Amino acid sequence: MNTRTKFTQSIKQLDIETRVQYGLMFLFGALCLVAAAAPLDLLIKVAVVSTLFGLTAGIWIAHLVQIVQRAADRNGAATGTDQ
């Protein structure tokens, strides 16, 4: 199996929420890089890049919270200590 097939299969195993989050992180991150290289006034560039980076970081933090919550739910279900 080649690397591309392994990558595709690993993406397909993710749930739809995770795929959407990864897609949005990639999109806003790429837009952040494009805006940083764009020939804009410095103040506008700082505002746009900061906003896009903030969106990227916010989605990333939300994703991490979601992962921790799912792990806690699985652990609680496995030990029978649901609260």
Side-chain angles (χ1 to χ4, degrees):
M1 213 184 298
N2 63 19
T3 306
R4 183 174 293 233
T5 306
K6 289 180 184 177
F7 179 74
T8 305
Q9 286 179 349
S10 65
I11 294 284
K12 288 180 180 178
Q13 290 177 352
L14 298 174
D15 63 344
I16 189 69
E17 291 175 3
T18 302
R19 281 189 264 174
V20 168
Q21 289 170 342
Y22 285 171
L24 288 173
M25 283 187 272
F26 179 78
L27 175 69
F28 288 130
L31 288 174
C32 184
L33 293 174
V34 169
L40 298 171
D41 184 46
L42 183 61
L43 187 59
I44 294 172
K45 185 183 289 193
V46 168
V48 170
V49 170
S50 298
T51 301
L52 290 170
F53 183 77
L55 287 169
T56 305
I59 295 169
W60 181 69
I61 290 170
H63 175 67
L64 292 178
V65 169
Q66 179 185 13
I67 289 174
V68 169
Q69 182 63 44
R70 285 181 184 170
D73 290 346
R74 277 194 305 268
N75 188 32
T79 59
T81 58
D82 289 337
Q83 294 181 5

